[in-house]
Amino acid sequence: MTEEESRLREEYTRSKNWKRWGPYVSERQWSTVREDYSQDGDSWNYFSHDEARSRAYRWGEDGILGICDRQCRLTFSLAMWNGKDSILKERLYGLTGEEGNHGEDVKEHYFYLDSSPTHSYMKGLYKYPQSEYPYPDLVNTNNNRSRYESEYEIHDTGIFDKSRYFDVYAEYSKGSDNDILIRLKIVNQGPDSAHIHIIPTLLYRNTWAWGREGEGYWDRPTIEGKDDHLLCLEHDNLGKFHFAAREATEWIFTNNETNNEKLFSSLNHTPYTKDAFHRYIIGGEEKCINFLKTGTKVGALVKRQVEAGDSFTLDYRLWMDGEDVDIDSPFGDFEDIFQKRILETDEYYNKILTNISADQYNIARQAFAGLLWTKQYYNYSIKEWLEGDPSFPKPSENREDVRNSEWKHLHNRDIISMPDKWEYPWYASWDLAFHMIPFTYIDPYFAKSQLVLFLREWYMHPNGMIPAYEYNFSDVNPPVHAWAVWKVYKMNGKTDINFLHRCFLKLILNFTWWVNMKDLNGNNIFSGGFLGLDNISIFDRSHTNGLQQADATSWVAFFCSNMLNISMELAKHFPAIEDIASKFFEHYVAIVDSMNSFEGTGLWNEEDGFYYDQLKNDRTSFPLRIRSMVGLIPICAVNLLKRNVIDNLPGFKKRMNWYIENREDLHQSMSYLLPDKDENSPKCKYLLAIPTEERLRRVLHYMLDEDEFLSEFGIRSLSKYYEDNPYTFNGDSVHYIPGESDTGMFGGNSNWRGPIWFPVNTLIIESLRKYYRYFGDRFQVECPTHSGNYMNLLDISKEISSRLVKMFEPDKDGRRPAHGRVQQFSNDENWKELLLFYEYFDGDTGEGLGAS
């Protein structure tokens, strides 16, 4: 067992609190829904980036490459100034949803380079330009661009030309669970000498100004300067801490309080407000700093002139009173601890990442770092948010109609895996379910705890719905939670039956919600709205009556299939659950039967050989004949039942045999309990799937056609056929768009009309491997279609996998397709090994798009 594995175990058993501190600080707290108290729900304009430096946050904090404790009581992050910027760089900048021609987008370059699962070692990088940051240029140019043009990015401004920037590295190491060592390294990568201010900042989250009492609302803490090397910090709940700087430091003090005078023309509660560092450093206002050396926000002001190619290092240490740290010599063991944690982190990943190339190792290591760094403290109580706070004017009663008012039970105050801490600094439930699969490789304890968390009563609605995301918790995401639970359980060696049982009981509530709310006619044909696929249809599917959805119906079959697997596993330990296994088996069969044969053909189109959504009125059904991911999802609802498992469940076996004997008709339209080649063996597997073998071949014919779905870099979300042959309906059209969206649907910041999306690609790969385990080598199709090259389904799954990975690997010219047109990533030694993992990818070029 490695040292990091031991720490994970100690954290899990609660003998140590190794995850108490981590990268839990958001990258954007401003303009979030939870900070929005407006009457009309306009979160982008209620609390802007410009206001953020002067206004205390209500529900969290943000910062650059920051850390905090798991309740975000105390944060540490970086601020900086190059002597030219108009504002102090304390947080990452980006365009709002209204400013960007493709929605909101961060306009910075920063990278997560490393992290151990307990965050006992972490490393991040921020690239800080030496020229004045081009705020107006980014806003104006993007405003003037249409949705048909690409985004104007920070590198397009030329600000990184000739390497005129600083590399700002932040490294963290833990001496113990309450002893954090911090090393900052600043490198001038430019050709000339350049000036920089670095202000490492400690800040207590404001929990005292709102007029509330009870858990989470603590009195004002204090940070006091003892000398030019040492601070003393005291918090009623967090306890007493010390913070030391290796070199003599100019400490600057203020409070994390709103500058009411500036923003609202009202009296300040203190002369020392949140924006004091900006006013002091850039504006030269000395009176805004508390020279009595006390406050709730403190900066270590360092000013340096750095020659071209030179660097300097700053060391700090934060530890809890009582830790084994010599307060008179806190840096004596600093180097030893840092090197030890680096070696231990390498040891941990070397055990996991084997039999891959050096470059693939680098890709995986940074991918895991990205997962770990995008954990975030998420704090949101809907009831308190709707009520407003006693110390502030009562919000308009019309806010009850803004959003989320039906989620008054929701009270989140946890560390959660985020899709992205700037563009999506709030959880998305189906994204999180996918995150937990790679998380299981590095921290199975965290993966299981997150999946349990979203089923708890302060998350899940009393009606059984899982919250989607803060813009609308009532939006419907694909039901992938049961799949994630089952997969994480198997990846952990099928040992934690309590985890499986605990999740299963709550997932039954969620499944019942789907059946009661999304199968309105009781015919096992489901709706669900946009279902995370945003603009994939010709109209907004969330506001379309009479829509019978191929993906929604398939997703519920997929949900049902995973619940069947879980219930059969649990029935080995709890015999009464056999009956529930039979229920999910029969419900799966009913859904798939409707999918294929309801009112004749279900949602299958025999002429085209594809599954489509259908619009239905009182007299007729009309297929929306768009070949998209909607029609590929049905192949994912595949399951294999093993005879040796069935034989040990006599009640389930009896009911299943009744179906085999009495529902022969089902073989005509679905893959229904078909035994494999080992029919007479205990190892026999029975296939359950939506398409018949013949229909599966027809769907794969499209999916593996490079003129349709199969890109050089994976499976597209919409067929390329529509590039020259747009689909039209009632005056609207859908055409293939491989990159950014050209519509404003769902904010315009994502696109399902052509790009490649990793999560659904992974489901397709997994499904092909299941089919292979049943069919073996006898099932072969052309890959690519029309190539004359026949492959089995396992080899096809490997081919798709390699195409996906290809986006991150350098080609013969050193260019990684995911980096797109940014030349530095292929020809600059200080960029070429850096990686970003994007929300989605261009269907033709593999360029990364959206959040990263």
Side-chain angles (χ1 to χ4, degrees), residues 128-146:
Y128 184 42
Q130 294 171 0
S131 299
E132 183 178 1
Y133 192 90
Y135 295 104
D137 183 25
L138 287 166
V139 173
N140 295 333
T141 304
N142 277 286
N143 272 334
N144 291 329
R145 289 192 177 189
S146 72

Side-chain angles (χ1 to χ4, degrees), residues 766-785:
E766 180 181 280
S767 301
L768 292 175
R769 291 177 177 177
K770 285 184 182 178
Y771 283 114
Y772 174 78
R773 283 161 50 201
Y774 174 79
F775 288 114
D777 291 330
R778 79 169 180 84
F779 188 114
Q780 297 196 5
V781 293
E782 282 184 294
C783 182
T785 302

Side-chain angles (χ1 to χ4, degrees), residues 486 488-497 569 572 642:
W486 176 238
V488 167
Y489 171 75
K490 290 192 298 177
M491 291 172 70
N492 275 275
K494 294 187 175 182
T495 56
D496 195 345
I497 198 70
E569 178 74 10
K572 299 175 187 177
K642 298 178 181 178

